Amino acid sequence: MATLPPWMERPSRIVQAGKAVLIAAIVLIMLYPFCYMIAMSFASKESSTGGFWPTAFSLDAYTSILGGGVVTRALLVSLFVTVVGTALSLTLTSTLAYGLTRIRDVPGARAVLIIVLATMFIGAGIIPNFLLVKSLGLIDSLWSLILPVMISAFNLVVVRNFFMNIPASLYEAARIDGAGNLWIFLRVVLPLSKPVLAVIGLFYAVGYWNSFFHALLYINDTAKWPIQVVLNQYVIQGSQIANLQGGNDIAVPPAQSVQMAVVVLATLPILLIYPFLQRHFAKGMLTGAIKE
């Protein structure tokens, strides 16, 4: 009787128990900073924040930073950049990817594809990019956080490969019915591409929401800072609480509570969106590998 390879044999109970303990330990190690951050963000002024868990809870930290000051304004800026940027990026990435799948129908498509692939290996650099943004008059404009990174070459390649693996019979059937390229793209390609578009949309949204370096380069007006820059200025650089609150005359909670509350607000939107798109990850990434 043929024996199974070692990696296919059922592990013993001791090995299974060891794996369970190891996984539980890893989960606890990963969850500890997150739980500590949330707990400390609710610590009141009377609470002792020396241990892991505060002794008294309140919403003073969130009331303080959401009182119309810098944090609230930064959240709105990040929300605008993320929503508008993701919508534009998905639109341009999907249309360009579809055009690059029709190399025989679109003149110059092969040359454009080569240029796009070249950008994955060759970058202009910080100074040329800054000079370009400055020459376009985008300094201190929120569009400087969107236009330079509107299309990702990697995301474009992923979407293009997905489009190329859509069965050719669907294109042929649509053309027999008299459909043009635009109708095929809107009525055939996009409905079948929801998984990959959801995944790429999440990639773009995370990138725009976490926009930090470009904001430091292009945004000098503090009123237009996104949440990640405010997070760095307060939590890392240690800016004064009053500055973040816009000078509101309200009770000031512990500095650590305000710092943790800012971190929670900067992290929460992506955590809320991810569970709804997680189910598309495997399908969006693996469907493109299936041939007709």
Side-chain angles (χ1 to χ4, degrees):
M1 181 178 180
T3 59
L4 295 175
W7 60 85
M8 296 183 63
E9 294 181 355
R10 184 177 181 84
S12 62
R13 294 183 180 273
I14 297 178
V15 175
Q16 290 180 349
K19 291 181 179 180
V21 172
L22 179 61
I23 293 175
I26 294 175
V27 170
L28 291 176
I29 293 173
M30 298 296 294
L31 288 179
Y32 172 79
F34 189 71
C35 295
Y36 176 83
M37 174 183 69
I38 295 178
M40 290 305 170
S41 69
F42 288 101
S44 66
K45 190 174 183 180
E46 297 78 14
S47 173
S48 174
T49 58
F52 169 74
W53 203 260
T55 57
F57 296 89
S58 81
L59 296 174
D60 292 343
Y62 292 97
T63 304
S64 174
I65 62 178
L66 294 177
V70 174
V71 175
T72 304
R73 186 165 56 244
L75 287 172
L76 294 177
V77 169
S78 291
L79 183 63
F80 171 82
V81 172
T82 301
V83 173
V84 175
T86 302
L88 292 176
S89 293
L90 278 177
T91 301
L92 295 180
T93 300
S94 58
T95 52
L96 181 57
Y98 179 71
L100 294 179
T101 61
R102 324 307 300 173
I103 293 181
R104 297 181 179 179
D105 301 333
V106 180
R110 189 179 299 275
V112 174
L113 178 60
I114 294 175
I115 294 174
V116 169
L117 294 177
T119 61
M120 298 179 64
F121 308 99
I122 304 174
I126 296 176
I127 295 178
N129 286 332
F130 179 83
L131 294 177
L132 176 61
V133 172
K134 184 178 180 181
S135 65
L136 294 176
L138 296 178
I139 298 297
D140 274 343
S141 171
L142 296 182
W143 291 105
S144 64
L145 306 180
I146 299 176
L147 297 181
V149 293
M150 189 176 297
I151 297 180
S152 167
F154 173 80
N155 293 340
L156 178 66
V157 171
V158 172
V159 177
R160 177 180 178 270
N161 290 340
F162 189 96
F163 288 171
M164 293 183 66
N165 283 285
I166 293 178
S169 57
L170 295 178
Y171 294 104
E172 296 173 359
R175 292 190 183 280
I176 292 175
D177 292 338
N181 284 326
L182 181 59
W183 193 95
I184 294 175
F185 174 69
L186 295 177
R187 299 297 182 89
V188 177
V189 176
L190 289 185
L192 294 175
S193 305
K194 291 180 181 179
V196 71
L197 293 180
V199 174
I200 298 304
L202 181 61
F203 289 167
Y204 276 125
V206 172
Y208 283 119
W209 183 262
N210 291 331
S211 179
F212 171 73
F213 185 66
H214 286 171
L216 286 180
L217 289 178
Y218 308 139
I219 306 297
N220 299 318
D221 186 358
T222 58
K224 297 180 180 180
W225 277 353
I227 186 61
Q228 303 301 334
V229 178
V230 172
L231 182 64
N232 174 74
Q233 291 295 319
Y234 177 60
V235 177
I236 305 301
Q237 303 297 332
S239 299
Q240 296 297 320
I241 298 176
N243 293 336
L244 287 177
Q245 295 168 342
N248 294 337
D249 296 330
I250 57 179
V252 177
Q256 187 183 27
S257 298
V258 178
Q259 290 176 346
M260 295 299 103
V262 175
V263 176
V264 170
L265 291 176
T267 309
L268 189 61
I270 299 300
L271 292 180
L272 293 179
I273 295 175
Y274 179 79
F276 297 99
L277 300 179
Q278 184 182 13
R279 61 189 179 91
H280 294 291
F281 267 71
K283 185 177 180 181
M285 289 302 182
L286 295 179
T287 304
I290 299 176
K291 297 294 183 179
E292 182 183 8

